[in-house]
Amino acid sequence: RVPTTWYQNVTTTTDENGKPVYTISEQWLQRVKEVVDYAYNQDMYVILNLHHEEWINRSDFPTAYEEMSERLKQMWVQIATYFKDYDQHLIFEGMNEPRMIGSAEEWTGGTQESYDVINALYQAFVDTVRSSGGSNKDRTLVVSTYAQSVEKNAVGGLVVPKDDHVIVSLHIYAPWNFCGPDDTRADWGNDADKQELDTMFQYLDDTFVSKGIPVIIDETGCVNKNENTSARVAWFSYYLSTAKKHGIKCFIWDNNETKNGFGLLNRKDCTWYYPEIIEAIQNATK
């Protein structure tokens, strides 16, 4: 997964009717292509998205559909056209954690008004890519719940576009008090912990997988808390093996931070900070 922020490399002008025109810098498209190709040319599957776009994640999200949809369509027609000759190893993810920033509902599953906007935006995303030529006619596309949340109201609010090549994505750091950077909990692994994950993955299976809708978790992980490596090994082992039982693929989030962070790979010398965690990941996913 290549999380990509675009808005800082977009020029905004207006057409003859005074409507905004959003143009992605050619230099930025070339740079994104360079990074995508690092993996694509190794026959890896690559997910390219819109990530941390300030015009999407905003406090007035439920009432900003017209502005967002026009910009979203213009962005994706440019990206999809630029990469139209790439085969199915390239996947497009429409948005990242679309949500009402700063609101009381930002991380609690959202509101019906926000679901309506997200569903309309994802339908516009799918329609735009499908009409962009080349391999885009049947390229795999990724949509998500509000904030990519597993909260039942968010999951229930998602209307998956009727398309044979669409995956649903969620971001699940569960339980957050263990996975996240706060210091409330550094241990994991009792029966209740395992039951929580069992229930969550079964819910996703019942809601999507069993109905023929693929699911990926394209962000997950747990932070280092005072070198609680054994607890993290137990969590990764159980989380990933349980996801695998339900046919759900997972992507580990690595923010290159090791102190209270998700970092696993030392980028400077290409070694693992926690080899035992990597071994647990490999054993769990085989």
Side-chain angles (χ1 to χ4, degrees), residues 67 81 104 172 230 268 275:
E67 177 191 341
T81 301
I172 307 176
S230 60
K268 291 183 179 179

Side-chain angles (χ1 to χ4, degrees), residues 4-22:
T4 305
T5 302
W6 301 82
Y7 76 91
Q8 294 158 320
N9 293 280
V10 171
T11 300
T12 304
T13 56
T14 55
D15 63 15
E16 63 275 12
N17 298 314
K19 293 184 178 180
V21 176
Y22 306 100

Side-chain angles (χ1 to χ4, degrees), residues 80-88 92 128-139:
T81 301
Y82 193 83
F83 288 99
K84 68 180 181 179
D85 295 327
Y86 280 56
D87 68 19
Q88 297 302 331
F92 294 150
T128 298
V129 174
R130 289 286 174 256
S131 62
S132 296
S135 298
N136 295 319
K137 67 182 184 299
D138 56 2
R139 186 178 307 285

Side-chain angles (χ1 to χ4, degrees), residues 43 61 97 128:
D43 292 326
F61 186 94
E97 298 180 354
T128 298

Side-chain angles (χ1 to χ4, degrees), residues 148-173:
Q148 269 154 299
S149 170
V150 74
E151 295 285 343
K152 288 192 174 183
N153 52 335
V155 172
L158 176 64
V159 177
V160 180
K162 295 186 182 303
D163 187 285
D164 292 334
H165 303 281
V166 168
I167 289 173
V168 171
S169 163
L170 301 104
H171 294 171
I172 307 176
Y173 302 86

Side-chain angles (χ1 to χ4, degrees), residues 43-261:
D43 292 326
M44 297 176 71
Y45 286 88
V46 182
I47 297 176
L48 178 63
N49 74 350
L50 305 186
H51 202 92
H52 292 173
E53 298 290 328
E54 291 184 349
W55 55 275
I56 293 176
N57 298 334
R58 52 199 287 172
S59 59
D60 63 341
F61 186 94
T63 59
Y65 172 74
E66 294 301 326
E67 177 191 341
M68 288 193 293
S69 63
E70 183 57 36
R71 188 160 183 170
L72 186 82
K73 288 184 284 188
Q74 290 190 36
M75 294 291 291
W76 274 113
V77 75
Q78 292 174 79
I79 298 167
T81 301
Y82 193 83
F83 288 99
K84 68 180 181 179
D85 295 327
Y86 280 56
D87 68 19
Q88 297 302 331
H89 284 79
L90 180 61
I91 296 167
F92 294 150
E93 178 180 31
M95 297 180 283
N96 175 75
E97 298 180 354
R99 64 191 189 277
M100 301 177 286
I101 278 188
S103 73
E105 296 85 10
E106 181 174 1
W107 297 113
T108 60
T111 63
Q112 185 58 53
E113 291 78 14
S114 62
Y115 308 153
D116 292 343
V117 170
I118 286 172
N119 293 331
L121 287 173
Y122 275 126
Q123 188 63 61
F125 158 65
V126 171
D127 293 343
T128 298
V129 174
R130 289 286 174 256
S131 62
S132 296
S135 298
N136 295 319
K137 67 182 184 299
D138 56 2
R139 186 178 307 285
T140 299
L141 305 178
V142 178
V143 303
S144 78
T145 60
Y146 171 91
Q148 269 154 299
S149 170
V150 74
E151 295 285 343
K152 288 192 174 183
N153 52 335
V155 172
L158 176 64
V159 177
V160 180
K162 295 186 182 303
D163 187 285
D164 292 334
H165 303 281
V166 168
I167 289 173
V168 171
S169 163
L170 301 104
H171 294 171
I172 307 176
Y173 302 86
W176 178 250
N177 63 352
F178 171 74
C179 295
D182 61 71
D183 291 325
T184 60
R185 184 178 180 191
D187 64 318
W188 185 91
N190 60 38
D191 290 344
D193 290 336
K194 294 175 181 178
Q195 183 60 53
E196 178 185 5
L197 296 185
D198 290 343
T199 301
M200 180 187 73
F201 283 114
Q202 186 61 56
Y203 172 59
L204 295 177
D205 194 331
D206 294 341
T207 305
F208 298 117
V209 180
S210 65
K211 298 175 182 176
I213 301 171
V215 172
I216 59 173
I217 298 171
D218 65 10
E219 281 188 29
T220 192
C222 57
V223 303
N224 168 41
K225 295 181 180 178
N226 298 316
E227 303 304 325
N228 61 332
T229 304
S230 60
R232 297 172 77 197
V233 164
W235 181 87
F236 273 111
S237 297
Y238 199 85
Y239 188 109
L240 296 176
S241 61
T242 306
K244 182 181 179 182
K245 291 177 185 176
H246 294 278
I248 296 172
K249 299 293 189 293
C250 299
F251 293 69
I252 309 301
W253 183 257
D254 182 339
N255 63 354
N256 202 27
E257 297 178 10
T258 57
K259 184 179 180 181
N260 236 25

